Amino acid sequence: MRQPLWTLLCGVFVAIALAGCASGPETRANWDKSVDFAQYRSFAFFEKLGTDEAGYQSLITQQLKASTRRELESRGYTYSETKPDLLVNFNASLAQQTRVTQSPTMYPGYYGYRYGYYGGWAGYQTRVDQYMEGTLNIDLVDAARKQLVWEGVAVGRVSEKENVDRTAAIDAAVREIFTKYPFRAGTQ
């Protein structure tokens, strides 16, 4: 498999994993404060989404679209392929992370043979934790001006158990991102 395609597929897996973290993903959103969101009533998806670089629509993209459509329609927006007010795009990435922590040891550790005779340097215990971290972005773009007006992001640790039920994991990640979306269709 080509490296960019593999990276993309791994990146799209991010959406699956974000929902499964015990503490949940870190979510945040930002929007253009100068935009009147009351003008938006309809949406559609970009023809070529950021999660579909392979030239076809992946199963994960299909689920992202279904989950996002559910969230926007629950806020009063209407899906319209002809002349939508907003266009939706996705981007996902997956990256190997390393976290190194040090903590004082509870006993003299390596120098334990000295215990009771004289004090040795207790030292530190070093722990290296390698994990996969995923990021999922959902962008809402003003279709007429071709300008980003809202962005929701979820970042979290990816575990193996999210691979079991991808649909539920994607739904939960998208739902969590949209908790940061303060608007309803046609209202400010």
Side-chain angles (χ1 to χ4, degrees):
M1 191 178 291
R2 294 180 303 142
Q3 184 62 23
L5 179 58
W6 175 247
T7 303
L8 173 67
L9 292 175
C10 289
V12 174
F13 178 74
V14 168
I16 298 163
L18 291 175
C21 302
S23 62
E26 175 190 333
T27 58
R28 60 186 177 277
N30 195 12
W31 62 90
D32 186 341
K33 309 298 190 270
S34 68
V35 171
D36 177 14
F37 277 79
Q39 67 183 314
Y40 303 128
R41 289 181 164 70
S42 62
F43 72 96
F45 297 96
F46 271 87
E47 188 174 322
K48 184 176 188 304
L49 294 165
T51 52
D52 284 336
E53 290 183 1
Y56 57 87
Q57 190 175 91
S58 69
L59 294 174
I60 291 174
T61 296
Q62 291 173 31
Q63 187 58 50
L64 283 168
K65 286 172 78 172
S67 299
T68 300
R69 185 172 177 165
R70 181 197 66 237
E71 291 298 321
L72 287 171
E73 288 176 344
S74 74
R75 288 162 175 79
Y77 293 92
T78 305
Y79 180 76
S80 171
E81 289 186 15
T82 59
K83 199 122 168 92
D85 299 323
L86 294 169
L87 291 172
V88 180
N89 196 9
F90 309 111
N91 195 15
S93 65
L94 193 62
Q96 180 76 33
Q97 299 291 333
T98 303
R99 185 178 71 184
V100 178
T101 56
Q102 289 186 325
S103 59
T105 57
M106 299 297 279
Y107 58 91
Y110 175 78
Y111 297 103
Y113 67 90
R114 295 179 181 162
Y115 187 76
Y117 295 105
Y118 57 93
W121 175 66
Y124 288 88
Q125 179 179 17
T126 301
R127 182 172 178 224
V128 178
D129 184 21
Q130 293 186 322
Y131 59 94
M132 296 304 286
E133 181 178 82
T135 304
L136 173 63
N137 290 55
I138 300 176
D139 297 338
L140 299 182
V141 175
D142 183 301
R145 296 183 307 150
K146 304 286 190 240
Q147 182 177 342
L148 181 69
V149 293
W150 184 85
E151 174 188 38
V153 181
V155 179
R157 185 180 281 225
V158 176
S159 71
E160 292 297 322
K161 63 184 174 177
E162 283 82 28
N163 199 22
V164 175
D165 190 358
R166 292 180 180 188
T167 299
I170 290 170
D171 275 345
V174 171
R175 188 177 312 109
E176 185 66 26
I177 288 172
F178 273 98
T179 63
K180 305 290 185 186
Y181 187 76
F183 308 104
R184 293 194 54 80
T187 63
Q188 185 62 359

